[in-house]
Amino acid sequence: MNAEKREEELIRHKIAYTYLELLRKKARDEISVTELAKAAGVSRMAFYRKFGSKWDVVDFYLGGIMHWEVAWDERNGGDLNIWDLEYGTRFFKAMKEHREDILTLMDRGYATLLLRVINMTNENAGGDMSIRSIERYNLYFLAGAGFNAMLIWLRDGCRESPEEMAQALRDYMSSGERIRRGRLE
């Protein structure tokens, strides 16, 4: 990566982390782009050269986590297989590492964006799958179950290890169990 591209990325990261800091103190609608740009030390014009909106800032931040910390497999220069236990373990480790930010984003109304980023990452890591394939819905079952379990786990203080959470999700997805009468049977 050349110096100019590296500088561009540093500015994008600075804006993203500044926005997270502001979100810890204020609701997203109370934060203007002007305020965000000023706090990040960039002009409003520079902000709009990097992002189209505050939503795009969060999408950039979450996409980076999901790609680089969860899906990307540096050993083979590609994505991990979504069905590997390591993928789930990396997902829960990343969410735990970014717990404060993830909970802040959830509390500030960005839950649907996180789920969209998880879905997109799972689609990429799931490999080629026909749009007509009923099995592709397994990606969305996995994303929804993982997303909901992750939120409760984060809010409960991450008592279980990421490995335990990944194994529980894997067991659930592979068991074919149905929820009856409010509990798994």
Side-chain angles (χ1 to χ4, degrees), residues 91-160:
F91 171 74
F92 285 104
K93 280 182 180 178
M95 296 300 105
K96 182 177 181 180
E97 181 179 328
H98 297 277
R99 180 177 180 257
E100 183 180 344
D101 294 339
I102 297 299
L103 291 175
T104 295
L105 291 170
M106 297 303 98
D107 293 342
R108 295 296 192 229
Y110 286 104
T112 57
L113 179 56
L114 176 56
L115 184 55
R116 185 181 72 78
V117 170
I118 292 169
N119 280 332
M120 288 175 50
T121 305
N122 286 358
E123 288 170 9
N124 291 336
D128 292 333
M129 203 174 281
S130 167
I131 193 138
R132 292 181 175 21
S133 169
I134 193 73
E135 280 130 19
R136 76 184 175 91
Y137 289 105
N138 287 335
L139 296 174
Y140 303 104
F141 292 139
L142 178 65
F147 175 78
N148 286 313
M150 176 268 302
L151 282 180
I152 298 301
W153 179 66
L154 292 177
R155 290 205 192 282
D156 286 351
C158 305
R159 291 188 306 256
E160 299 79 9

Side-chain angles (χ1 to χ4, degrees), residues 35-185:
E35 177 185 8
L36 171 54
K38 184 177 179 181
V42 300
S43 69
R44 188 175 159 85
M45 184 181 292
F47 173 88
Y48 281 114
R49 279 195 302 265
K50 311 291 184 257
F51 298 106
S53 67
K54 294 180 291 183
W55 186 267
D56 293 339
V57 173
V58 176
D59 188 50
F60 168 78
Y61 173 75
L62 294 172
I65 291 171
M66 289 301 297
H67 178 73
W68 294 111
E69 296 185 37
V70 178
W72 180 253
D73 186 3
E74 58 282 341
R75 294 168 299 190
N76 67 18
D79 286 333
L80 282 173
N81 182 319
I82 191 173
W83 304 110
D84 286 347
L85 188 59
E86 182 180 350
Y87 186 94
T89 299
R90 288 171 70 169
F91 171 74
F92 285 104
K93 280 182 180 178
M95 296 300 105
K96 182 177 181 180
E97 181 179 328
H98 297 277
R99 180 177 180 257
E100 183 180 344
D101 294 339
I102 297 299
L103 291 175
T104 295
L105 291 170
M106 297 303 98
D107 293 342
R108 295 296 192 229
Y110 286 104
T112 57
L113 179 56
L114 176 56
L115 184 55
R116 185 181 72 78
V117 170
I118 292 169
N119 280 332
M120 288 175 50
T121 305
N122 286 358
E123 288 170 9
N124 291 336
D128 292 333
M129 203 174 281
S130 167
I131 193 138
R132 292 181 175 21
S133 169
I134 193 73
E135 280 130 19
R136 76 184 175 91
Y137 289 105
N138 287 335
L139 296 174
Y140 303 104
F141 292 139
L142 178 65
F147 175 78
N148 286 313
M150 176 268 302
L151 282 180
I152 298 301
W153 179 66
L154 292 177
R155 290 205 192 282
D156 286 351
C158 305
R159 291 188 306 256
E160 299 79 9
S161 71
E163 294 80 8
E164 289 172 313
M165 291 300 295
Q167 186 63 54
L169 182 59
R170 182 181 199 183
D171 291 348
Y172 175 75
M173 291 303 294
S174 65
S175 71
E177 292 177 329
R178 303 246 192 283
I179 297 177
R180 289 186 283 187
R181 289 181 258 132
R183 65 176 202 260
L184 292 177
E185 295 187 323

Side-chain angles (χ1 to χ4, degrees), residues 24-42:
R24 285 188 187 90
K25 301 170 192 158
K26 295 175 150 184
R28 70 182 184 181
D29 294 338
E30 296 173 358
I31 303 166
S32 68
V33 169
T34 301
E35 177 185 8
L36 171 54
K38 184 177 179 181
V42 300

